[in-house]
Amino acid sequence: RALFINHKISRPTADFQGRIEDEWAAALAIHCDVHSISEDFDYGEVCDRINPDFVILRNPGGYRATPVTVRNAKARPDIPKIGFYTEDPHDTSRVTFLRLLDELQIDRFFVPGSATFRQSPELASRAFTMSLFIDDSIFEEYDLEKLIPVSVFGGLAVPGFYSWRAET
């Protein structure tokens, strides 16, 4: 049983922007009973009610930009906790996430790449790299001739910010 701490969706956005975070919860659900929360809550009360084996805190950036308020954060120190951090270098939630890690006394977190190590080398001892998940129903071998030698993708939700990618 896991408690997955999400955050509030504070603005309308495209569905695809939350897929990485949602994939984390979906992948965890393959292996355990996941209880996701995305509203302000009392940590002690929720943990006493669902009795999770571990807790995962996701960073409040990108798709879910407003962090939840966690009351009674020091309750249940017996439950292991870890963070998941989507590491967009332009995401302003880094400071908020680090504060939440400290508030919940979380020492370690996972990132889906290596930008954190370059951007904040002081966090290297706390962060572990993990791979993204692949949907086998979409990404399969189609036995087609490869016509595109290089593909550039990502960052197209804000073409003004990632203008080179959008143009390319």
Side-chain angles (χ1 to χ4, degrees):
R1 189 181 318 248
L3 172 61
F4 192 79
I5 303 172
N6 259 319
H7 298 280
K8 301 171 194 173
I9 299 172
S10 61
R11 62 183 182 265
T13 188
D15 289 340
F16 74 87
Q17 287 186 294
R19 287 199 182 121
I20 290 175
E21 293 89 348
D22 295 338
E23 283 179 1
W24 288 347
L28 284 167
I30 293 170
H31 304 287
C32 62
D33 185 12
V34 177
H35 297 265
S36 188
I37 192 162
S38 56
E39 295 299 325
D40 298 343
F41 70 103
D42 182 293
Y43 181 78
E45 184 275 320
V46 168
C47 286
D48 286 344
R49 181 168 34 86
I50 67 170
N51 197 28
D53 295 304
F54 60 99
V55 173
I56 302 106
L57 170 70
R58 191 190 73 69
N59 75 302
Y63 180 62
R64 296 178 173 100
T66 303
V68 296
T69 299
V70 181
R71 294 179 308 281
N72 198 15
K74 293 195 167 92
R76 299 297 306 269
D78 57 306
I79 302 171
K81 296 172 277 233
I82 194 126
F84 279 177
Y85 178 56
T86 54
E87 56 176 8
D88 185 334
H90 307 292
D91 191 338
T92 57
S93 75
R94 184 182 322 188
V95 172
T96 303
F97 178 64
L98 292 171
R99 282 187 189 136
L100 284 167
L101 287 177
D102 290 343
E103 184 180 325
L104 286 165
Q105 300 176 325
I106 299 173
D107 293 328
R108 307 274 188 245
F109 60 94
F110 287 96
V111 294
S114 60
T116 297
F117 304 105
R118 291 190 310 275
Q119 297 159 2
S120 304
E122 70 280 6
L123 299 176
S125 65
R126 296 179 72 178
F128 298 93
T129 300
M130 68 176 183
S131 62
L132 295 175
F133 303 102
I134 303 293
D135 185 341
D136 292 333
S137 66
I138 296 170
F139 297 99
E140 61 182 63
E141 181 55 57
Y142 291 97
D143 295 321
L144 299 173
E145 180 183 357
K146 307 301 185 224
L147 302 175
I148 303 170
V150 175
S151 178
V152 178
F153 60 93
L156 298 180
V158 189
F161 191 75
Y162 294 104
S163 55
W164 180 85
R165 289 186 200 173
E167 236 177 77
T168 302

